[in-house]
């Protein structure tokens, strides 16, 4: 669980930074989240309202869709939330607004931060934009070096031989 202590929070702007383990955001079962997450909170308290912008940073180990090699991708995502004890400010339709008790001395950021982290993971995963992927014939990783299939295909002598065979 990742909770922010707010009992002594003064009106105004505050910044807090944390380093937490994936388990604290209940991400321990997500293989991609193997390393600690950096969390930076910009907190603005205005009366009964606490605006929080959370910035998450963490290196993830992803597998490239094209070449199937593991690579490191850095998650860097911000999410803005409002925690309010003012029912007029609370809006059921806004997923980033949370109603809290006037007497609350801490707020639980686990779920919103967990969601933010999971939604930030790219669906399409490429080790680099120009990744050449694997050869569809021999399965060689073409980022390392061109495989012999490619040479054969582009070798003009082969093209000639092939056309002879096809006659
Ligand atoms: Zn790749
Ligand atoms: Zn090949």
């Amino acid at each position: 669980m990742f909770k922010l202590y707010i009992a002594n929070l003064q009106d105004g702007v505050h910044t807090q930074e944390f380093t937490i383990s994936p388990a604290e955001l209940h991400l321990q079962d997500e293989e991609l989240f193997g390393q600690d997450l950096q969390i930076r909170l910009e907190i603005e308290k205005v009366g009964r309202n606490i605006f929080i912008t959370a910035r998450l940073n963490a290196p993830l180990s992803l597998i490239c869709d094209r070449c199937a090699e593991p690579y490191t991708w850095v998650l860097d995502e911000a999410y803005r939330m409002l925690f309010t004890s003012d029912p007029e400010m609370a809006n059921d339709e806004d997923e980033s607004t949370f109603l809290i008790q006037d007497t609350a001395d801490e707020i639980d950021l686990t779920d919103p931060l967990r969601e933010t982290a999971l939604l930030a993971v790219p669906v399409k995963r490429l080790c680099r934009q120009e990744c050449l992927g694997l050869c569809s014939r021999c399965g060689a990783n073409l980022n390392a070096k061109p495989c012999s299939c490619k040479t054969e295909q582009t070798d003009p002598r082969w093209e000639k031989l092939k056309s002879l065979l096809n006659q």
Side-chain angles (χ1 to χ4, degrees), residues 92-127:
D92 284 346
E93 280 163 28
D94 183 354
E95 287 178 9
S96 60
T97 298
F98 305 87
L99 187 62
I100 55 171
Q101 299 290 321
D102 261 323
T103 52
D105 56 9
E106 56 186 15
I107 49 186
D108 188 351
L109 295 174
T110 314
D111 285 346
L113 294 191
R114 181 178 194 277
E115 287 297 303
T116 302
L118 288 173
L119 288 173
V121 176
V123 179
K124 190 173 164 67
R125 297 170 191 176
L126 288 182
C127 63

Side-chain angles (χ1 to χ4, degrees), residues 125-139:
R125 297 170 191 176
L126 288 182
C127 63
R128 51 196 167 97
Q129 267 319 314
E130 66 282 10
C131 171
L132 299 171
L134 304 177
C135 170
S136 56
R137 291 174 72 187
C138 73

Side-chain angles (χ1 to χ4, degrees), residues 66-98:
R66 272 188 210 157
C67 69
E69 290 290 327
Y71 69 102
T72 300
W73 177 81
V74 178
L75 181 149
D76 180 7
E77 191 75 13
Y79 187 58
R80 187 167 162 82
M81 297 158 272
L82 167 62
F83 292 83
T84 182
S85 59
D86 178 355
E88 302 220 330
M89 287 291 287
N91 175 354
D92 284 346
E93 280 163 28
D94 183 354
E95 287 178 9
S96 60
T97 298
F98 305 87

